[in-house]
C-alpha cells in the first residue's frame, strides 16, 4: 500500500497580514505552518498504515526550499518519505497548474491511495485535489470524516445536511479530509531527530515531462489581479443627552446613516 499525501504550506491563522508596496502579502515576520486540513490527511495516512501493518506514506509539497520545514514535520510524525516539487520554474501557480504538476508527480512515483486536505486556509478554493483526481481519472470522495479500508475497497463517511453519507469506492482513489476525522499526533523527540537526518527528495517540473512553456502560458486559468485587506471597523458612536431625545437620535442614525431601519 503506497499512500501519497499532498500538503501545503500556509501562513498561521493568527498571523497579522500586511501588504508591501507592490500590493503583495508581506512575508516578513509571518509564521508558516502546515495547512491544518493537510495535517488531518497525514495523520489518517499514518493510521491506515498502522492498521494494515505495512505500506509507505509519502508526503509531497509544491513550493520553494522553505517548504522543507513542513515536510520535515510530516516526517517527524511518521511519514516514510518526503518530496519537494520545486516551483521556481513556474511563473503562476493557480489551482489548475498546481493540479497538473501534482498529478504528474503522483503518476511518476505511483500510488494506491491519495489523501489531501479538503481545502487550504489561505485561499479556501478547495479545487486542487478535485482537479488532481480528474486528471488521473480517479474516483474521489471529498470532506471525509471517517475512513475504513478493507482489502481493495474504501468506505468513506462524511457529514451532509445534518445527516451522514457512507460511500464505497475501489482503490486506487483520492479522498480529502475534513475537520473531525482525527486528532493529528504531536511528533515525538525521536521522530524529530530522525526527520532531521532524512533526505528530502527534490523534483523539478522539467523532470515530469511537462511543457514548461505551456504551463507558463496558455495553461494558466486564473490570475490574481489585486489583493486587498478588509476595511477596518469604524469607531463606535456615543449618543449623549437625556432620554427620550437619545432614543429619537438613535432611530435617526439607524434610518438615515446606517440605513438599517
Amino acid at each position: 500500500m503506497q499512500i501519497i499525501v499532498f500538503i501545503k504550506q500556509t501562513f498561521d491563522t493568527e498571523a497579522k497580514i500586511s501588504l508591501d508596496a507592490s500590493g503583495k502579502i508581506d512575508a516578513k515576520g509571518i509564521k508558516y505552518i502546515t495547512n491544518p486540513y493537510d495535517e488531518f490527511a497525514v495523520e489518517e495516512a499514518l493510521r491506515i498504515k498502522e492498521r494494515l501493518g505495512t505500506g509507505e506514506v509519502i508526503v509531497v509539497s509544491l513550493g520553494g526550499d522553505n517548504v522543507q520545514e513542513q515536510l520535515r514535520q510530516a516526517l517527524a510524525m511518521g511519514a516514510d518519505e518526503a518530496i519537494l516539487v520545486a516551483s521556481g520554474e513556474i511563473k503562476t501557480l493557480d489551482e489548475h497548474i498546481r493540479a497538473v504538476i501534482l498529478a504528474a508527480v503522483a503518476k511518476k512515483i505511483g500510488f494506491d491511495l491519495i489523501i489531501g486536505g479538503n481545502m487550504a486556509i489561505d485561499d479556501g478554493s478547495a479545487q486542487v485535489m478535485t482537479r488532481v483526481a480528474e486528471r488521473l481519472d480517479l474516483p474521489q470522495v471529498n470532506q471525509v470524516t471517517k475512513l475504513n479500508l478493507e482489502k481493495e475497497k474504501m468506505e468513506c463517511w462524511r457529514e451532509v445536511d445534518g445527516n451522514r453519507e457512507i460511500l464505497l469506492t475501489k482503490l486506487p482513489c483520492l479522498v480529502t479530509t475534513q475537520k473531525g476525522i482525527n486528532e493529528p499526533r504531536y511528533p515525538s523527540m525521536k521522530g524529530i531527530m530522525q526527520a532531521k537526518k532524512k533526505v528530502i527528495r527534490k523534483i523539478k517540473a522539467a523532470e515530469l515531462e511537462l511543457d514548461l512553456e505551456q504551463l507558463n502560458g496558455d495553461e494558466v486559468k486564473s490570475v490574481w489581479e489585486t489583493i486587498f485587506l478588509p476595511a477596518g471597523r469604524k469607531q463606535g458612536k456615543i449618543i449623549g443627552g437625556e432620554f427620550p431625545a437619545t432614543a429619537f437620535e438613535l432611530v435617526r442614525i439607524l434610518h438615515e446613516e446606517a440605513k438599517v431601519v
Side-chain angles (χ1 to χ4, degrees):
M1 170 69 70
Q2 182 153 293
I3 306 173
I4 293 178
V5 183
F6 290 131
I7 67 173
K8 183 181 182 183
Q9 182 191 71
T10 63
F11 49 75
D12 194 332
T13 52
E14 297 182 0
K16 185 177 181 180
I17 305 301
S18 61
L19 303 180
D20 59 23
S22 64
K24 295 181 179 180
I25 295 176
D26 190 351
K28 293 180 181 177
I30 292 181
K31 178 184 176 183
Y32 287 93
I33 62 172
T34 302
N35 177 46
Y37 291 96
D38 297 340
E39 281 191 300
F40 297 139
V42 174
E43 175 64 28
E44 197 60 27
L46 295 173
R47 293 189 183 193
I48 291 173
K49 176 188 171 182
E50 289 167 356
R51 287 196 295 267
L52 295 176
T54 184
E56 186 177 26
V57 175
I58 304 173
V59 289
V60 179
S61 190
L62 174 63
D65 286 340
N66 59 327
V67 179
Q68 291 189 52
E69 182 180 349
Q70 276 60 56
L71 289 171
R72 292 203 183 279
Q73 179 186 346
L75 289 171
M77 290 174 68
D80 299 287
E81 186 181 353
I83 296 176
L84 171 62
V85 186
S87 62
E89 301 165 288
I90 310 300
K91 294 179 181 178
T92 303
L93 283 172
D94 67 354
E95 286 80 2
H96 172 68
I97 299 298
R98 288 179 183 273
V100 169
I101 296 172
L102 293 176
V105 173
K107 199 170 182 179
K108 180 181 178 68
I109 63 179
F111 60 90
D112 297 294
L113 173 64
I114 297 177
I115 308 180
N118 172 54
M119 60 180 281
I121 60 171
D122 54 359
D123 57 30
S125 69
Q127 292 186 34
V128 175
M129 294 300 292
T130 298
R131 289 174 178 269
V132 168
E134 289 298 314
R135 292 195 67 84
L136 295 173
D137 195 25
L138 291 175
Q140 57 180 297
V141 185
N142 296 307
Q143 301 183 10
V144 172
T145 55
K146 183 178 178 180
L147 283 175
N148 288 323
L149 177 62
E150 295 183 4
K151 295 183 179 180
E152 295 184 358
K153 293 183 179 180
M154 179 75 75
E155 185 183 78
C156 308
W157 296 40
R158 62 181 184 180
E159 306 300 321
V160 288
D161 297 327
N163 212 324
R164 181 179 295 120
E165 182 178 61
I166 302 175
L167 302 174
L168 191 64
T169 182
K170 292 183 179 180
L171 297 180
C173 68
L174 180 148
V175 298
T176 65
T177 51
Q178 176 65 291
K179 184 178 181 181
I181 189 171
N182 58 48
E183 187 67 34
R185 70 193 67 185
Y186 288 101
S188 65
M189 183 57 67
K190 181 181 179 181
I192 293 172
M193 297 307 294
Q194 289 177 338
K196 289 181 178 180
K197 299 176 182 178
K198 290 186 178 181
V199 177
I200 294 177
R201 179 181 171 189
K202 293 185 180 181
I203 296 178
K204 294 183 178 180
E207 299 176 46
L208 300 172
E209 300 179 1
L210 296 173
D211 188 335
L212 294 181
E213 186 175 344
Q214 189 175 12
L215 286 179
N216 287 320
D218 296 339
E219 281 288 319
V220 177
K221 304 300 181 184
S222 59
V223 178
W224 290 79
E225 291 289 348
T226 307
I227 298 176
F228 59 91
L229 298 175
R233 298 181 65 178
K234 294 182 179 180
Q235 187 174 2
K237 180 179 290 188
I238 298 176
I239 302 174
E242 299 292 333
F243 186 82
T246 53
F248 282 110
E249 178 62 10
L250 174 59
V251 172
R252 185 196 69 77
I253 292 172
L254 293 175
H255 179 66
E256 297 179 5
E257 298 182 17
K259 299 184 184 302
V260 294
V261 294

